[in-house]
Amino acid sequence: MTTTLITGATAGIGEATALRLAREQHRLIICGRREERLEVLAQKLLLEGATEVLTCVFDIRDREATSAMLESLPKEWQQIDVLINNAGLAVGLSTLHQGDTDDWERMIDTNIKGLLYVTRIIAPMMTQRNTGHIINVGSIAGREVYPGGNVYCATKHAVDAITKALRIELVEHNIRVTQIAPAATETEFSVVRFKGDEERAGKVYQGFDPLTGNDIADIIAFVISRPPHVNINDLFVTPTAQSTATNIIRKG
């Protein structure tokens, strides 16, 4: 029986991955800030086939809250087999010289520091048992940069670097480390980036078939399902219509 912890489980790739792994009968620890959404999702997961579900309500930007929650997991939930560092966001699309420093801090605190806080607590649980799998959800923004993406791209480049370093450091403990880096994926991502402007967010995905949360969830499930001697290091995934961060072929 596989115990899997997913951050950012209340929407998008995180939610889709939780539902996909429930059908594989994982025991799931779902984490997020929105308690009501987590409770609703927990019920769905049990109906989909999850053997057990534990909800953890905290903000990964808050180091003390993150530590308090994860270090006090019930004993029967502390043997985590798979950690999926999914929580992340982009806020704003301004040039650097016109940027909002509050937006910068929100991205840095979530995408980099939050990932580090969670991994720092969960990875030692894995090293003690010499087994485990850490999956970091990166982005095309960790491979390229684009106008207005400055700080967001920097945070996802950091995820790429952290993942590579982590793989080197944990290989002696038999722990697999994977990065999944999606390009345009239609979730709440653009709504958050544009601070609730759904009309502007919707235009991001017009005229082509973007990736979906389910597409990435299927890939994550495949990566986890590989035999213990196989580690898929890095997967960069784009829609067929997208070749770079800024080159998308739109119909009409």
Side-chain angles (χ1 to χ4, degrees), residues 2 18-27 48-51 221 225:
T2 303
L19 289 164
R20 178 67 175 79
L21 296 181
R23 293 192 285 273
E24 302 289 336
Q25 299 184 320
H26 284 229
R27 297 172 80 234
E48 288 290 335
T51 53
S225 72

Side-chain angles (χ1 to χ4, degrees), residues 6-21 23 30-31 34 37 41 45 84-89 135-140 152 156 180-189 205 211-221 237:
I6 305 172
T7 66
T10 55
I13 292 171
E15 180 181 18
T17 300
L19 289 164
R20 178 67 175 79
L21 296 181
R23 293 192 285 273
I30 52 174
C31 307
R34 295 174 284 191
R37 283 200 182 192
L41 177 58
L45 296 175
I84 302 174
N85 281 313
N86 164 73
L89 48 76
I135 298 173
N136 293 333
V137 178
S139 171
I140 189 173
Y152 175 65
K156 288 301 186 176
I180 311 294
T185 307
E186 188 169 11
T187 61
E188 292 182 355
F189 177 86
Y205 308 107
L211 300 172
T212 67
N214 288 332
D215 293 329
I216 305 306
D218 285 343
I219 291 168
I220 290 173
V237 190

Side-chain angles (χ1 to χ4, degrees), residues 48-209:
E48 288 290 335
T51 53
E52 294 180 84
V53 180
L54 178 68
T55 61
C56 291
V57 182
F58 64 96
D59 187 339
I60 64 169
R61 294 177 296 175
D62 185 330
R63 180 171 58 85
E64 291 185 3
T66 300
S67 297
M69 178 64 69
L70 297 182
E71 289 176 351
S72 64
L73 288 172
K75 187 175 181 180
E76 63 272 21
W77 286 95
Q78 291 178 8
Q79 291 196 4
I80 294 167
D81 301 295
V82 181
L83 165 61
I84 302 174
N85 281 313
N86 164 73
L89 48 76
V91 190
L93 195 63
S94 300
T95 58
L96 190 69
H97 65 283
Q98 296 173 317
D100 184 328
T101 55
D102 288 339
D103 291 347
W104 297 353
E105 290 181 4
R106 188 176 171 193
M107 289 185 280
I108 292 166
D109 288 350
T110 303
N111 300 352
I112 304 175
K113 293 166 71 175
L115 181 149
L116 291 172
Y117 296 157
V118 173
T119 304
R120 179 63 182 85
I121 296 166
I122 303 302
M125 299 178 185
M126 295 178 173
T127 59
Q128 288 172 8
R129 299 176 5 249
N130 280 310
T131 185
H133 194 167
I134 297 173
I135 298 173
N136 293 333
V137 178
S139 171
I140 189 173
R143 313 301 176 93
E144 305 176 22
V145 295
Y146 54 86
N150 39 74
V151 174
Y152 175 65
C153 292
T155 66
K156 288 301 186 176
H157 275 70
V159 170
D160 181 58
I162 290 165
T163 305
K164 290 173 180 174
L166 197 60
R167 188 179 304 120
I168 295 168
E169 293 166 351
L170 295 181
V171 67
E172 66 179 292
H173 296 286
N174 195 41
I175 294 171
R176 300 189 288 182
V177 180
T178 300
Q179 179 180 206
I180 311 294
T185 307
E186 188 169 11
T187 61
E188 292 182 355
F189 177 86
S190 290
V191 175
V192 173
R193 163 166 265 174
F194 298 126
K195 303 180 182 181
D197 187 338
E198 295 189 9
E199 182 178 357
R200 186 179 180 190
K203 292 178 181 178
V204 173
Y205 308 107
Q206 286 181 352
F208 75 107
D209 292 325

